[in-house]
Every structure is written in C-alpha cells, then in structure tokens.
C-alpha cells in the first residue's frame, strides 16, 4: 500500500484515504448516500424485514396527538429534524399540526441535497402553506447553529434510530452537543431501536433480496465514480453480524480474494488480503437503562417515551436536566 502527500479537495477524499490505509480498514456509512444510495435506502425501508420504519410509523401515527401536545408552546415552536430523509413518518406529524392550526416551522436537515430537494417538493405539494426551510449538512455541522434558534421553543427530532450509527462515546457527544444548544423549555424527540430477537435484527440488515448488500457496496461505487478507482465490487461480500450482549450490529465488506485497487484521483494503491474486511457501519440497539445512561451523561433526562405494539422500537422525549 503506497500513498503520496496530496491536498484533499473534500472530506470524502480525506476519509477514504484514512479509512483504507488504517488497520482494520473502514469507510463511513455516511458515504453510502448519493442519488443511487438514497433510492436504495428508500427500498430498504419498504422491505417487510426492515421493521424499524413500520414500527416508528406506527408510533407516530397512533400517538400523534400526545406527541404533538408535548411539542406545543404559546408562541409556536421550531421543529428541527436531523437526518430528515424522505419525511414519510414526519409528514404524519406535519399534517396533524397543520390541521390543528398549530404555529410551527419545519427545518429538515440532511446530508443529501437530493433528499432535501425531494422532501421540500413533496411536503409543499401534500401540505400547502407549510413553512419549510431545508438545510444541507452533517449533524455535527448543523449542531453548531442550533443555539442561534432561541426566539421560541425548539423541538429537535431525530427519527430512524440514526443515533444507532454512533458508538456510545460518540452518541453521548452527539446528545451533549444537542443539549448545549437547548434552552430550558426545548425538547429532543429521538428514535432508538430496541434489543430484541437477534434473528429479527440480522434479517433487517441482511435481506434475501440483496438490497442492503447493494446499499453497503454503494460506497465502493461512489469511490469508483467520484475518485477514479477500479474496485471490482462483485469481489466484495456484504456481511452482517450482531452481538446480543452489547446490542451492536456491524456491517462489513469482505474481500473475496487477494487484490489491489487503484484510486487514481488520490494516487493511492490499496492492497487487500483474501477475506480482509472494510468496516462500514454500526447499528446500535438499546434498552431503557442504556438510553437513560446516555441521556444522563449528556445532561438530559427522559421526559416521556412512546413505543409500538410489539415493543420493537421506542421514541424518547428528552429535556435538559
């Protein structure tokens, strides 16, 4: 494996070099997402084995009155959603809030401009007159700006168990950064996938149709397309593992053979041994004790919680301690 000193033109380039020259190798799951990756993730969410979407949709649909009541304030509120995605679940709340003539603004935030453009178009079409202000960026970039929203109550919403992509120290840092931008009456509404039958979890991330495998491998397609690499994507295996003790599911790409990949734009050669891994994603699962501990470490406390009929998933409402 050889590298030259180069000037990076993007965080993507820098992260690819760091990840593929480390041992063990890794690539961030945030790079799954481009136009193709966005579509694959929509397909994943529609699969019956990917229970997370339907579980959270059930919670929001069946308990929207109670959830909305906890959000309200006399002078209205700003609903700030991190990782907004296609907004399928959020639209249930947006529709209800609009029908009840509740004063609020919706600020969806996502790393993908493509996703935000589609969301804004669909929300304005389906819920005319709504105040929607999309913002493109990563969570950590946007969190720096949260404190500036201080003229009225903020409700910071994170659906889809996105926090599960962070190991506990980073999850605490994430929650702490949110907490530092909150005023006393602000709230956090966040989804956490719960521990359950390990097979149910494995099936959610290893579908027989191969959609999750294609999503995982999309990071290699992106490197090929954007950085001039020659990954033979078919020579990498999607592999998912789950540890019921820690509640951690991990996704890997595994090299099926000894091979060398050239990334022209980075002037980088990357060697792989047979069955060597690239770690791409974690999907953490939780219980009440772990969520309470994470919140406490970050200066938050659980104000309420909402769960689906199977107990697969929970949305927690947090306030400052």
């Amino acid at each position: 494996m050889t590298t030259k000193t180069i000037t990076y033109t993007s965080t993507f380039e820098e992260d690819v070099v760091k990840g593929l020259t480390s041992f063990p190798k890794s690539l961030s799951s945030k790079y799954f997402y481009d136009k193709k990756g966005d579509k694959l993730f929509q397909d994943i969410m529609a699969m019956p084995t990917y229970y997370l979407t339907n579980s959270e949709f059930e919670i929001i649909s069946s308990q929207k009155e109670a959830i909305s009541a906890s959000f309200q304030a006399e002078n209205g509120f700003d609903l700030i959603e991190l990782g907004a995605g296609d907004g399928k679940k959020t639209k249930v709340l947006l529709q209800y809030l609009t029908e009840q003539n509740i004063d609020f603004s919706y600020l969806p935030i996502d790393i993908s401009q493509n996703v935000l453009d589609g969301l804004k178009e669909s929300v304005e079409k389906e819920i005319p007159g709504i105040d929607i202000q999309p913002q493109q960026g990563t969570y950590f970039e946007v969190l720096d700006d949260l404190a500036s929203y201080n003229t009225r109550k903020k409700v910071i919403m994170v659906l889809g168990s996105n926090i599960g992509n962070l190991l506990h120290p980073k999850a605490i840092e994430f929650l702490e950064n949110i907490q530092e931008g909150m005023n006393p009456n602000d709230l956090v509404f966040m989804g956490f996938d719960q521990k359950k039958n390990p097979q149910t979890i494995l099936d959610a991330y290893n579908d027989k149709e191969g959609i999750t495998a294609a999503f995982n491998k999309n990071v290699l397609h992106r490197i090929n397309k954007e950085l001039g690499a020659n990954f033979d994507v078919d020579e990498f295996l999607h592999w998912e593992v789950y540890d019921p003790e820690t509640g951690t599911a991990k996704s890997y790409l595994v090299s099926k053979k000894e091979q060398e990949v050239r990334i022209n734009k980075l002037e980088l050669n990357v060697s792989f041994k047979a069955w060597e891994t690239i770690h791409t994603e974690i999907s953490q699962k939780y219980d009440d004790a772990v969520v309470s501990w994470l919140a406490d470490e970050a200066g938050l406390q659980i104000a309420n919680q909402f769960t689906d009929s199977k107990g697969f998933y929970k949305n927690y409402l947090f306030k400052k301690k």
Side-chain angles (χ1 to χ4, degrees), residues 26-204:
S26 65
L27 290 167
S28 173
S29 59
K30 68 184 179 182
Y31 297 122
F32 292 167
Y33 298 91
D34 58 2
K35 194 167 186 178
K36 178 183 175 184
D38 294 341
K39 174 63 168 62
L40 285 168
F41 189 61
Q42 301 308 315
D43 293 343
I44 288 170
M45 290 194 294
M47 294 188 308
T49 52
Y50 192 79
Y51 60 83
L52 290 85
T53 303
N54 286 339
S55 297
E56 193 167 42
F57 189 81
E58 178 196 324
I59 291 169
I60 293 173
S61 298
S62 64
Q63 302 177 66
K64 59 182 180 289
E65 294 89 350
I67 294 168
S68 299
S70 65
F71 290 179
Q72 293 179 46
E74 285 187 9
N75 62 336
F77 66 96
D78 294 317
L79 182 60
I80 302 169
E81 183 175 12
L82 306 184
D86 68 349
K88 175 186 174 183
K89 292 169 287 191
T90 307
K91 286 175 186 175
V92 174
L93 279 178
L94 299 180
Q95 186 73 52
Y96 180 78
L97 290 166
T98 302
E99 288 171 354
Q100 300 301 310
N101 295 314
I102 294 166
D103 179 17
F104 76 103
S105 297
Y106 176 47
L107 289 74
I109 295 155
D110 201 276
I111 193 171
S112 169
Q113 187 63 52
N114 174 61
V115 162
L116 287 172
D117 292 342
L119 177 62
K120 186 173 190 293
E121 182 180 351
S122 67
V123 167
E124 289 179 338
K125 180 180 179 181
E126 295 168 32
I127 313 172
I130 193 169
D131 179 14
I132 178 172
Q133 303 168 32
Q135 297 184 39
Q136 191 271 335
T138 67
Y139 292 171
F140 290 99
E141 290 168 346
V142 172
L143 288 175
D144 290 337
D145 299 328
L146 273 184
S148 64
Y149 292 91
N150 57 11
T151 58
R152 61 181 185 173
K153 182 178 183 179
K154 293 192 297 290
V155 178
I156 300 144
M157 186 163 69
V158 189
L159 303 182
S161 198
N162 286 333
I163 194 170
N165 296 139
L166 305 173
L167 291 169
H168 288 333
K170 278 289 185 183
I172 291 169
E173 180 185 344
F174 175 49
L175 290 169
E176 197 169 37
N177 286 341
I178 291 177
Q179 182 268 133
E180 288 171 353
M182 291 170 64
N183 294 317
N185 67 328
D186 293 341
L187 296 171
V188 180
F189 183 73
M190 188 175 293
F192 289 77
D193 193 15
Q194 302 292 294
K195 292 181 179 179
K196 59 184 69 66
N197 186 323
Q199 192 61 54
T200 301
I201 292 169
L202 282 173
D203 290 347

